[in-house]
Amino acid sequence: MDSIKLTQFSHGGGCGCKIAPGVLSDLLARMPPGLLPADLLVGTATADDAAVYRLNDRQAVVATTDFFTPIVDDPYDFGRIAATNALSDVYAMGGTPIMALAIVGMPLDKLPAEVIGRILEGGAAVCREAGIPVAGGHSIDVLEPIYGLVGIGVVDPARVRTNAGAREDDVLILSKPLGVGILSAGLKKGLLSEAAYAEMIRWTTMLNRAGAALAECEAVHAMTDVTGFGLAGHLLEMCRGSGLQAMVDFDALPLIAEARDLVKGGVATGASTRNWTSYGTSIQLDGALGEWQQKLVTDPQTSGGLLIACEASAATQVLETIQRTQGSAGKVIGRMVRGDSVVRFA
C-alpha cells in the first residue's frame, strides 16, 4: 500500500481539477431556467457556495456537494482534505453541518481495498470532528480516484450569509493563508519539504467552523470560501454580487512561506493559468506586481479559508472569533469601495 501514489492517477488534484470559471459560466448558461420557489433563499444566481432552502421562519436547509481527485498521495490525508473542503461550503453560508453523504469513485482494478478504506476513514474522521455522521452515499468504478461529500446543514434564515451582501467600506478578512495549489504542484514535482507538506495538511484539514459563529454577528455582511477559482476569482464573485469594487493590499495577504518561494521559482498549477484566462480582464494588478503575484492570487485553494466582508468596527471581533473557533490567525487584506466590479491588487 505504501508504494501507491494517489496523485499518479489524477490529471489535476484537489480544487485544481475544477472546470475553469469561464467554461463553467458557458455551460451553466445553456441550462434551461429552473423552478424558483419563494423558499429557495440561495440558488445559482450569484455562484454561491451552497443552496439554502427555507423550511420555516427559524430553520433553513443548507445543501452542497464537493468532490475531487487526489491532491496528496496518502489516502487518509486525501479523505480528510476532501471532507474538510466539502463541509466548508456549509460553514461559508453561516450554517452548521448536521450530516454528510459520501461520494466515492475509485478505479477498483488499480487501488487495493485497503487504500480505498483509508480514504473513507479519513473522511469519516473529519465528519466526527465536525460532530456529524456519514449517513450514506454512492460509489462507482471509474478511471481516476474521486472522493468527496454531500454536506447538509441548518441555519436560521435570518443568519444566512451569501457572497453577495458586501457593503461599501466593508473590510475584507481572510481566515487562512494562500498557497495550497502551489504546494500541491511542488509535491508532484518532488520539490516540497516535509515541513511544507505538514503545513499543507494543517490548513487543508482545518474546518472553517468560524462561519457558523460569524453568522451571529450582524456586522458581517458577506462570506465565501476561497477554493478552486483562487482568491481573485472568489473575491470577484463577491464584487459582482454586491456591485462593488475590491481593493486588496498584496503585502497584507497571508501566505504559506514555502509557497512563496516555489511560485517565485516558477512552480504553479495549470489551473491558475486557466483562472486568469477566465477572469483576468476584471483583475487589476499594480505595476509593481508581476507574474508570480498573479499566479498566487489565482492559485486554486483546496479547502481554503473564509473570505469575510464586515464593518471596519467589527474587524477585531471577527479576527477574535476566527482565532477562538478554529485556532487560525485571520488577516485584514483590503476593503470594498464604490466602483466597477473589479478586484484591484496594489
Side-chain angles (χ1 to χ4, degrees):
M1 188 170 84
D2 292 339
S3 63
I4 293 177
K5 294 185 179 298
L6 287 178
T7 56
Q8 69 180 306
F9 299 106
S10 55
H11 71 285
C15 287
C17 67
K18 290 178 73 170
I19 295 175
V23 176
L24 181 60
S25 295
D26 290 342
L27 293 175
L28 294 177
R30 298 172 185 270
M31 289 177 57
L35 295 175
L36 292 174
D39 287 321
L40 182 64
L41 303 182
V42 182
T44 61
T46 58
D48 222 319
D49 298 299
V52 181
Y53 192 92
R54 178 172 49 208
L55 299 177
N56 52 53
D57 290 343
R58 298 297 303 275
Q59 295 175 309
V61 174
V62 183
T64 183
T65 182
D66 213 314
F67 53 90
F68 47 61
T69 55
I71 188 175
V72 294
D73 291 319
D74 182 271
Y76 187 75
D77 284 344
F78 170 43
R80 292 168 66 208
I81 293 168
T84 306
N85 179 74
L87 295 180
S88 178
D89 288 340
V90 176
Y91 291 121
M93 306 303 298
T96 299
I98 57 172
M99 69 174 180
L101 307 175
I103 300 169
V104 183
M106 296 291 156
L108 299 179
D109 60 334
K110 298 174 183 175
L111 290 183
E114 310 92 85
V115 171
I116 298 172
R118 287 292 285 168
I119 295 171
L120 302 185
E121 287 175 27
V126 165
C127 289
R128 282 195 301 274
E129 183 183 348
I132 64 172
V134 179
H138 187 64
S139 60
I140 59 172
D141 186 359
V142 292
L143 298 178
E144 290 183 286
I146 296 170
Y147 178 70
L149 299 176
V150 173
I152 305 294
V154 292
V155 66
D156 185 326
R159 302 299 185 194
V160 174
R161 293 296 184 269
T162 72
N163 65 359
R167 300 178 188 176
E168 186 179 353
D169 296 325
D170 276 355
V171 297
L172 295 166
I173 294 174
L174 187 61
S175 71
K176 291 184 186 181
L178 303 172
V180 169
I182 294 162
L183 295 185
S184 71
L187 178 65
K188 274 199 165 185
K189 294 177 181 291
L191 300 174
L192 200 64
S193 70
E194 289 186 9
Y197 181 81
E199 278 287 280
M200 179 180 172
I201 299 302
R202 174 195 173 196
W203 293 113
T204 55
T205 59
M206 177 185 287
L207 289 165
N208 280 323
R209 298 177 185 273
L214 291 172
E216 299 294 320
C217 177
E218 292 187 3
V220 171
H221 299 144
M223 282 195 295
T224 190
D225 60 347
V226 180
T227 55
F229 298 159
L231 172 64
H234 291 287
L235 183 49
L236 180 60
E237 290 176 340
M238 188 176 283
C239 290
R240 289 170 173 168
S242 60
L244 295 170
Q245 183 175 125
M247 298 184 64
V248 179
D249 178 1
F250 184 87
D251 290 337
L253 295 179
L255 309 177
I256 301 173
E258 193 159 321
R260 180 197 293 266
D261 296 336
L262 286 169
V263 74
K264 282 185 174 182
V267 177
T269 69
S272 63
T273 300
R274 294 194 297 273
N275 283 341
W276 183 259
T277 300
S278 294
Y279 57 66
T281 55
S282 296
I283 309 298
Q284 298 177 4
L285 298 177
D286 183 88
L289 303 179
E291 184 177 1
W292 76 265
Q293 288 98 337
Q294 175 188 313
K295 294 290 188 185
L296 200 143
V297 300
T298 57
D299 184 48
Q301 303 304 289
T302 298
S303 194
L306 295 174
L307 178 63
I308 303 140
C310 69
E311 294 176 12
S313 60
T316 298
Q317 178 186 351
V318 169
L319 293 171
E320 290 175 348
T321 300
I322 294 169
Q323 183 68 52
R324 172 175 53 83
T325 55
Q326 57 189 62
S328 172
K331 285 196 69 176
V332 175
I333 63 168
R335 60 194 176 95
M336 302 296 287
V337 299
R338 188 177 303 176
D340 295 336
S341 296
V342 299
V343 180
R344 297 172 57 191
F345 290 91

